[in-house]
Amino acid sequence: MSGAPLNLTKGPDETFILNLGPQHPATHGVLRIKLTMDGEYVVRAEPVPGYIHRMHEKMGENRTWNQYLPNPSRVDYLSAMAYSHAHVAVAERAAGLEVPPRAEYIRVIVCELNRVSSHLVWLGAFLLDLGGFTPLLYAFDDREMILDLLEGITGSRLTYCYHRFGGVCNDVDDTFVRGTKAFVEHMRPRMKLYRDLVTDNIILRKRLTDIGHISADTCRRYGATGPVIRGSGVPYDVRRNEPYSAYPEFDFDIPVFPEGDCMARYLVRMEEIVQSLRIVEQAIGRLPDGPHIAPKVPKIMKVPPGDYFFATEAARGRFAIRAVSDGKEIPYRIKLRAPSFSNLSLFEEASQGMMLPDALALLGSLDLVIPDIDR
Amino acid sequence: MSFLEIEPFRIALYVVGALAFVGANAAYLVWVERKAAGRFQRRAGPTEVGPAGLLQPVADAIKLMSKQIIVPPGSDALLFRIAPVMVMAPALMCFATIPFSDSIVARNIDVGLLMIFAFGSINVMAVMLGGWASRNKYAIISAARVVSQNVAYEIPMLLTVITMLMVAGTLNLHEIVKQQEAGFWAWNIFRLGTNPLMPVTFVIFFTCMLAETNRAPFDMAEAESELVAGAYTEYSGMGFGVFFMGEYANIVIGCAVATVLFLGGWGSPVGFLPGVWWFLAKMYFLIFTVIWIRWTFPRTQFYGLLNLSWKILIPFSLATLVLTSIVMKIPRMF
Amino acid sequence: MKNIIRDSVAGFKTLVVGMRVTIDQFFRRPVTVHYPHEALKMPDRYRGHIELVRDPETGKSLCIACKSCEKACPSDCIFVDGLKREGEKRKSATEFTLDFTKCSLCGACVEVCPTDALRFTKSYNLASTQKQSYFFDLMKRMEEQKK
Ligand code: SF4
Ligand code: SF4
């Protein structure tokens, strides 16, 4: 019954080209998708990225390590914390800088809060793609609490620039600790609201179940990560597979759903919110005392020559920085591995033969952030 | 009462009244919808223009009217211009037969119900023409959707209407309400004696009404997150405004018909207040439900909608039809 | 047949549950703030654009024109000039401008300053139609604040 693959052998004159974007409500940014359509069926979907390319990699090569601090958070503005984390961590790994445990805990807390807020934006935007407007506003209401908390300690609401080499720039205060605990308390019952309003809804179930199937093999071939690959039954999560920071000290599950359809990806993200809340609760409960930044950090970071690599689990999947240093103040090369780019690249293959609304549901379930694709 | 019986007066009164009623409803339902949507989403809705944003529809109308109507090059200019009119005009016609109370009805026609459904389906053609004439790929996809959607939904809707006809035995809306006047247990929705599935029939009718008027969750034709604005993509200014008003006018008619068929029209369950207020109260309650539904659910997928129609609504409405005829026939056989 | 009826009823129930959620929210108070009629207070650490801090004793800027901030800024938006006046131990700034069109509000300048001569403002209503209005003369701003 679903968007059953249709016979694609019709002549080319039967098809027409539909330009989805660069400005279209469903692409959430300046992504363009060139659709070859046969009626309502997608014959070929060719993503055309690049409309918001800002040369973040090149910028890394003409400024000092410190000056690059604001950049990573602007690559994927929705999970800025994980990106900044990767950047400072690659330098710390290279320079052998010891990070105090309190700083690591704070990093985990802010990163997980950021993940929750990112998933909430996705939930709203995804439902918007599916034509449901109200959950967006509820999700933003909850997200607002996270943004207020993070703004209180970092001074910004989106592009935090909170991480520093050897720690974080501000210590957390009592207001933050209390607020975070209150947020976790508040968020748990809200998950029930989302379940009643969205997850269990028959219309949503019908729209997502068995739609947009992506096999584990396709995910591997295209390098898809994050909730996309976990929705296809592969338990790959950087926090588990390449543990970093304080993550090994916490007890949490990696939600995996084997179906590989839009519903599986949806459920993975909803479950991840719950797991992130668990991590936040544990971390805030046993927040160690001590400094929030390593005591002896050079004012201007210098990294010994070499080729370094660090990956973090961002909200959309594996974000990694490869930094090549020649020992100068300025890195020789910065390479950013952005999860959205890999996740988008499988769209062409996965969307073949789908109907337009299903293809858009699939696109939404990949949770793309366009600046993250273009960098 | 006397001068109302003089034909020319009646027609003039009707034309003015219907235009005013439709205009006011379309304008203020937008306001109600925005306010209600705001409350559903924990916002305040429009607040800036006038007290509680009450002048917002006026401001919107002025804005829409002051905009240029752009006819896209290469489009079918005539059809493009006619389409909005064809949404609005049938809606106005339909108001002629709706009995707001025992005495307030423009034209008490014997085939009133038939006329409403006849005019009601012109709406579909108008949206299709508008979409087709726009010369826009999104609009054409939307036009194709509208047609198949409405073909699928006319059937169960008419099946439920036939059920109601068998119960009522007349096409005259006035008569139908008269039969339900005894109190709310006599309303058709609660007349379980004729058909124990009456509430189900009502739900089916209401669902089809939503689909007919292209309202969420069946707003595939507009589907703003897929098709930008569907059939209305190329319409600007008042062209879009008239489509918009037509949509609301159709909702009002749909809810009015539902009130007449199922909820006892102007009949009051308790007895105070003149009937017309009861009619409006019931009708606006249904309209509120329409809005409530829109701001709760995601949009259905296209084939999901067809599945719903062919696999659930049509069998169910057929079942109620058969059941009703059996229940009605049996006593007569003995 | 039985299945279809059961599924339809179950599906219908989820719709009713969803509608109950929204009507419940309908009768609650809105959570929005009616900006610009009311506005939220900015938190203490809010990062607006930077400004110069005055020495509470002398009333002059704390800046010693060391140009560290100028160098640290990733976006090249700071320009500092200073000279050593007679009878003073340290240099003092004569000119301090900020090109806010390029500033990314990262805070590098504030952190690097050895004398804590810079701080963030809390202003965020900065709309303008002209580019020039974002070239801030921070010395002048500080002088004006005195009055
Ligand atoms: S906040 Fe950052 S970008 Fe702005 S002036 Fe200071 S160092 Fe430059
Ligand atoms: S770092 Fe501080 S003291 Fe040095 S020039 Fe900048 S503001 Fe002045």
Side-chain angles (χ1 to χ4, degrees):
Chain A
M1 60 164 250
S2 60
L6 113 151
N7 182 7
L8 299 173
T9 49
K10 268 188 189 162
D13 42 351
E14 291 270 337
T15 60
F16 65 97
I17 303 278
L18 189 66
N19 254 319
L20 202 76
Q23 275 123 25
H24 184 279
T27 56
H28 304 293
V30 282
L31 172 68
R32 175 173 160 222
I33 297 178
K34 209 173 126 196
L35 294 168
T36 310
M37 305 281 295
D38 181 359
E40 276 238 38
Y41 288 91
V42 175
V43 179
R44 178 150 190 255
E46 184 189 341
V48 187
Y51 286 85
I52 188 164
H53 180 53
R54 292 154 303 163
M55 296 174 285
H56 276 297
E57 293 184 356
K58 197 72 197 163
M59 279 160 95
E61 295 166 21
N62 60 27
R63 54 197 58 211
T64 62
W65 287 88
N66 293 61
Q67 286 180 328
Y68 196 61
L69 279 171
N71 285 60
S73 54
R74 278 152 175 93
V75 174
D76 176 353
Y77 47 79
L78 288 181
S79 68
M81 290 293 188
Y83 281 58
S84 299
H85 191 155
H87 172 233
V88 295
V90 74
E92 284 157 7
R93 180 181 275 178
L97 203 60
E98 198 66 39
V99 184
R102 187 179 174 85
E104 291 286 23
Y105 268 62
I106 296 174
R107 283 179 181 182
V108 167
I109 293 168
V110 293
C111 183
E112 292 308 315
L113 283 177
N114 201 206
R115 186 188 315 279
V116 174
S117 78
S118 169
H119 282 352
L120 285 172
V121 175
W122 159 81
L123 173 71
F126 185 43
L127 264 293
L128 203 59
D129 285 351
L130 302 177
F133 200 96
T134 302
L136 173 85
L137 275 293
Y138 295 167
F140 267 53
D141 184 13
D142 292 336
R143 172 175 178 258
E144 196 63 23
M145 296 181 74
I146 302 181
L147 293 193
D148 284 346
L149 286 172
L150 293 180
E151 187 187 18
I153 54 166
T154 68
S156 306
R157 294 175 71 80
L158 207 60
T159 48
Y160 305 105
C161 192
Y162 181 51
H163 294 66
R164 294 290 179 275
F165 302 114
V168 291
C169 70
N170 291 321
D171 200 359
V172 299
D173 48 13
D174 266 359
T175 333
F176 177 80
V177 173
R178 251 182 289 120
T180 311
K181 283 179 181 160
F183 171 74
V184 174
E185 289 301 306
H186 161 86
M187 198 59 204
R188 294 241 159 88
R190 289 291 276 195
M191 295 311 288
K192 184 181 174 315
L193 181 145
Y194 291 125
R195 198 178 62 230
D196 283 348
L197 179 64
V198 187
T199 315
D200 280 348
N201 187 292
I202 178 88
I203 300 178
L204 185 97
R205 291 238 163 215
K206 288 252 182 247
R207 280 215 60 177
L208 299 185
T209 317
D210 285 333
I211 302 292
H213 190 87
I214 304 172
S215 69
D217 178 52
T218 315
C219 286
R220 285 213 183 85
R221 270 191 291 120
Y222 285 99
T225 47
V228 176
I229 196 167
R230 290 197 285 277
S232 294
V234 182
Y236 176 78
D237 188 311
V238 182
R239 290 173 295 176
R240 265 291 145 72
N241 296 62
E242 306 164 46
Y244 60 95
S245 193
Y247 279 111
E249 294 164 38
F250 303 116
D251 184 24
F252 62 99
D253 299 326
I254 306 291
V256 175
F257 286 80
E259 293 86 0
D261 56 3
C262 291
M263 196 67 203
R265 288 186 283 281
Y266 172 89
L267 290 172
V268 165
R269 291 203 182 86
M270 292 311 270
E271 186 55 32
E272 269 185 29
I273 295 181
V274 177
Q275 296 301 330
S276 288
L277 292 179
R278 257 178 86 190
I279 299 177
V280 169
E281 199 173 36
Q282 294 171 41
I284 206 98
R286 356 188 261 251
L287 191 65
D289 286 332
H292 65 276
I293 187 159
K296 277 202 202 83
V297 184
K299 260 227 151 105
I300 291 173
M301 191 73 184
K302 269 203 186 139
V303 166
D307 189 346
Y308 309 101
F309 187 83
F310 199 94
T312 54
E313 181 72 23
R316 272 153 209 82
R318 182 177 201 250
F319 173 71
I321 288 194
R322 180 177 171 199
V324 183
S325 169
D326 50 8
K328 300 214 186 83
E329 279 174 19
I330 295 174
Y332 174 76
R333 172 84 166 100
I334 293 276
K335 160 84 183 117
L336 307 175
R337 188 243 182 244
S340 292
F341 184 77
S342 314
N343 291 358
L344 171 71
S345 58
L346 59 73
F347 182 70
E348 180 167 354
E349 184 178 313
S351 67
Q352 263 189 28
M354 288 175 103
M355 283 183 91
L356 180 64
D358 289 341
L360 293 179
L362 168 63
L363 191 68
S365 77
L366 295 177
D367 188 14
L368 303 170
V369 162
I370 314 305
D372 185 33
I373 297 169
D374 292 350
R375 281 159 287 155
Chain B
M1 196 61 215
S2 59
F3 86 101
L4 269 181
E5 273 151 25
I6 309 165
E7 200 55 33
F9 274 129
R10 207 180 169 99
I11 290 176
L13 209 65
Y14 154 65
V15 170
V16 175
L19 280 175
F21 187 74
V22 173
N25 258 302
Y28 275 88
L29 279 182
V30 179
W31 178 84
V32 169
E33 170 131 41
R34 291 176 64 178
K35 270 289 186 198
R39 292 308 301 247
F40 280 124
Q41 299 167 348
R42 312 283 301 276
R43 303 182 280 119
T47 53
E48 293 303 309
V49 194
L54 269 172
L55 294 179
Q56 187 71 46
V58 181
D60 286 346
I62 293 173
K63 182 194 78 181
L64 283 176
M65 278 191 261
S66 62
K67 283 196 173 177
Q68 186 190 2
I69 295 184
I70 298 165
V71 181
S75 65
D76 190 322
L78 182 67
L79 291 182
F80 187 83
R81 288 199 174 89
I82 286 181
V85 182
M86 283 179 55
V87 174
M88 205 56 196
L92 286 172
M93 292 299 295
C94 291
F95 272 99
T97 61
I98 290 180
F100 286 87
S101 82
D102 204 359
S103 52
I104 308 179
V105 52
R107 228 48 187 91
N108 189 6
I109 315 174
D110 273 345
V111 288
L113 198 54
L114 196 62
M115 184 185 134
I116 285 181
F117 286 103
F119 277 108
S121 36
I122 295 182
N123 175 23
V124 183
M125 195 172 79
V127 177
M128 186 201 83
L129 281 184
W132 181 78
S134 304
R135 193 168 183 265
N136 177 307
K137 287 169 186 167
Y138 290 110
I140 289 178
I141 294 181
S142 156
R145 284 182 180 190
V146 168
V147 175
S148 43
Q149 172 180 339
N150 279 275
V151 168
Y153 275 83
E154 292 266 296
I155 300 170
M157 185 170 205
L158 291 179
L159 282 174
T160 55
V161 172
I162 293 172
T163 314
M164 298 319 294
L165 279 184
M166 288 193 339
V167 175
T170 170
L171 280 166
N172 187 321
L173 294 175
H174 199 260
E175 278 297 306
I176 294 176
V177 177
K178 277 268 184 219
Q179 290 172 359
Q180 306 176 51
E181 251 184 343
F184 73 89
W185 60 87
W187 293 1
N188 278 334
I189 184 173
F190 297 124
R191 266 161 123 185
L192 304 182
T194 43
N195 173 1
L197 287 180
M198 223 28 154
V200 180
T201 317
F202 174 69
V203 171
I204 294 175
F205 180 83
F206 197 71
T207 314
C208 297
M209 201 265 297
L210 287 179
E212 278 274 313
T213 48
N214 296 325
R215 276 294 290 201
F218 306 114
D219 54 344
M220 249 78 48
E222 214 182 318
E224 73 282 347
S225 55
E226 298 159 17
L227 300 180
V228 189
Y232 319 138
T233 307
E234 293 289 350
Y235 281 92
S236 58
M238 237 11 216
F240 179 75
V242 171
F243 264 123
F244 213 64
M245 281 173 73
E247 186 186 313
Y248 281 98
N250 279 318
I251 293 167
V252 173
I253 290 170
C255 291
V257 173
T259 309
V260 168
L261 282 183
F262 290 93
L263 300 181
W266 66 79
S268 140
V270 276
F272 66 97
L273 278 184
V276 57
W277 296 111
W278 282 105
F279 183 89
L280 291 179
K282 291 171 194 172
M283 187 181 85
Y284 284 120
F285 173 74
L286 287 183
I287 293 176
F288 178 77
T289 312
V290 171
I291 294 173
W292 180 9
I293 288 176
R294 167 157 182 201
W295 297 106
T296 302
F297 301 129
R299 186 180 310 120
T300 53
Q301 161 54 302
F302 188 61
Y303 49 76
L305 176 101
L306 296 186
N307 275 342
L308 176 68
S309 169
W310 293 103
K311 290 189 185 160
I312 297 178
L313 294 184
I314 293 182
F316 272 89
S317 49
L318 271 175
T320 57
L321 181 65
V322 172
L323 199 67
T324 312
S325 39
I326 293 174
V327 172
M328 290 181 72
K329 260 287 181 263
I330 287 175
R332 278 180 220 175
M333 281 184 345
F334 304 105
Chain C
M1 181 65 196
K2 226 187 194 163
N3 269 345
I4 292 181
I5 294 181
R6 202 184 320 118
D7 287 354
S8 308
V9 171
F12 188 71
K13 223 161 78 217
T14 66
L15 299 181
V16 175
V17 169
M19 285 178 72
R20 216 172 47 213
V21 170
T22 40
I23 200 74
D24 177 43
Q25 302 284 329
F26 185 88
F27 290 112
R28 294 187 191 201
R29 281 162 51 87
V31 289
T32 45
V33 173
H34 281 263
Y35 185 82
H37 302 301
E38 36 180 339
L40 295 172
K41 206 178 141 281
M42 288 295 119
D44 290 340
R45 283 177 185 163
Y46 178 77
R47 296 205 298 251
H49 71 79
I50 50 165
E51 65 177 2
L52 286 169
V53 183
R54 213 172 333 124
D55 188 342
E57 281 159 28
T58 63
K60 291 215 180 71
S61 162
L62 283 169
C63 173
I64 52 168
C66 70
K67 290 183 182 263
S68 304
C69 52
E70 202 181 293
K71 276 190 221 105
C73 175
S75 323
D76 267 344
C77 26
I78 299 177
F79 174 77
V80 198
D81 206 4
L83 55 87
K84 193 162 168 186
R85 292 206 179 80
E86 248 168 78
E88 277 176 6
K89 269 190 275 160
R90 309 195 287 197
K91 267 168 90 177
S92 54
T94 50
E95 213 185 328
F96 198 114
T97 57
L98 169 72
D99 177 359
F100 192 56
T101 57
K102 290 194 263 172
C103 175
S104 53
L105 298 171
C106 64
C109 47
V110 177
E111 274 168 43
V112 84
C113 180
T115 58
D116 287 337
L118 290 174
R119 67 166 172 231
F120 297 114
T121 60
K122 298 217 175 350
S123 51
Y124 55 93
N125 281 323
L126 293 164
S128 168
T129 51
Q130 261 149 13
K131 201 177 171 185
Q132 279 74 18
S133 35
Y134 297 111
F135 300 144
F136 298 134
D137 186 341
L138 294 186
M139 286 306 270
K140 211 160 108 202
R141 187 186 159 94
M142 193 187 74
E143 293 301 320
E144 271 163 16
Q145 273 175 350
K146 213 187 302 185
K147 286 167 207 156

